[in-house]
Amino acid sequence: MLILTRKVGESIVIANDIIVKVVETGKSSIRIGIDAPREISVLRQEVFDAIQKENILSSQGTDNIDIARAAKLIGNKDKESE
């Protein structure tokens, strides 16, 4: 893992076309902005993990799949990218 120190307004560049910028810092959190091509999926870790779990359940053919929940997760991803 690469660990960098950045100040508000400073950025890092990943693979020539992804820019991660520090937007704001707070007491216990920071806000970052991510500028990436539309074809690259950018997800919060907890959303990514939930989607992976749903994918595993669906591949196992279980009846416990909550399609509405999965659709909600994907809908939240779309809102985050705006």
Side-chain angles (χ1 to χ4, degrees), residues 9-10 45-47 51 61 63 74 77 79:
E10 294 181 333
Q45 182 72 50
E46 62 273 16
V47 173
I51 291 170
D63 294 332
I74 292 169
K77 177 219 174 258
K79 288 179 185 174

Side-chain angles (χ1 to χ4, degrees), residues 2 10 12 16 23-24 31 35 37 40-43 45-46 50 59 61-63 65 70-71 73-75 81-82:
L2 174 65
E10 294 181 333
I12 61 170
N16 296 324
V23 176
E24 179 182 333
R31 292 185 64 183
D35 185 12
I40 295 177
S41 179
V42 178
L43 300 170
Q45 182 72 50
E46 62 273 16
S59 71
T62 64
D63 294 332
I65 300 167
L73 289 171
I74 292 169
S81 66
E82 293 177 353

Side-chain angles (χ1 to χ4, degrees), residues 5-81:
T5 301
R6 301 277 73 202
K7 295 178 183 175
V8 172
E10 294 181 333
S11 302
I12 61 170
V13 178
I14 302 170
N16 296 324
D17 58 355
I18 301 171
I19 299 171
V20 180
K21 183 175 185 176
V22 178
V23 176
E24 179 182 333
T25 60
K27 237 181 187 177
S28 61
S29 65
I30 64 166
R31 292 185 64 183
I32 58 172
I34 302 169
D35 185 12
R38 284 206 171 271
E39 62 271 7
I40 295 177
S41 179
V42 178
L43 300 170
R44 294 185 323 247
Q45 182 72 50
E46 62 273 16
V47 173
F48 176 80
D49 292 343
I51 291 170
Q52 293 291 55
K53 181 179 176 183
E54 293 294 331
N55 287 343
I56 290 168
L57 289 174
S58 89
S59 71
Q60 293 172 346
T62 64
D63 294 332
N64 298 331
I65 300 167
D66 185 350
I67 293 176
R69 183 168 170 252
K72 183 178 177 185
L73 289 171
I74 292 169
N76 286 342
K77 177 219 174 258
D78 290 340
K79 288 179 185 174
E80 289 174 12
S81 66

